[in-house]
Amino acid sequence: RMSRHTQQLRDHDINPCVAETDASRKCMDDNNSNKDMCTAYFLKYKNCRKFWHNIMMQRRRNGVKPEMPSAEERKKILESVG
């Protein structure tokens, strides 16, 4: 059974970067943990985290709840920024 923390990390409504996390992990598995082979995946993950962190901080400043948009809301936000 997964820990509560692990479940939250797997929850698309809480963690906006599940796909990027999985892709990085798979790359590491496929390349015997050779980080040099996975730089692009790490960058995508980092950019994802930074993007959603900024959105979250903006929502927090504006008093919007929840601070992290749901998976459905995030989809619309991403479509609007193209």
Side-chain angles (χ1 to χ4, degrees):
R1 192 167 125 57
M2 284 192 283
S3 72
R4 192 158 169 262
H5 179 72
T6 304
Q7 283 176 325
Q8 284 185 330
L9 291 177
R10 302 298 311 154
D11 184 335
H12 288 272
D13 282 330
I14 295 170
N15 179 1
C17 303
V18 172
E20 291 78 3
T21 303
D22 291 348
S24 295
R25 196 167 289 135
K26 183 180 183 326
C27 181
M28 289 293 280
D29 290 346
D30 293 349
N31 292 287
N32 296 320
S33 299
N34 181 346
K35 289 182 179 161
D36 296 336
M37 302 290 285
C38 303
T39 310
Y41 292 100
F42 298 152
L43 195 59
K44 276 184 190 162
Y45 172 79
K46 200 169 122 187
N47 289 337
C48 178
R49 296 295 307 171
K50 194 184 331 182
F51 178 82
W52 291 114
H53 178 75
N54 289 337
I55 297 271
M56 201 171 77
M57 296 313 289
Q58 189 180 351
R59 286 168 67 106
R60 186 175 293 163
R61 279 193 301 273
N62 296 337
V64 178
K65 296 276 183 204
E67 289 166 1
M68 177 55 71
S70 69
E72 193 55 43
E73 268 186 282
R74 288 197 310 269
K75 200 172 148 207
K76 290 178 184 142
I77 291 169
L78 286 175
E79 285 166 1
S80 75
V81 294

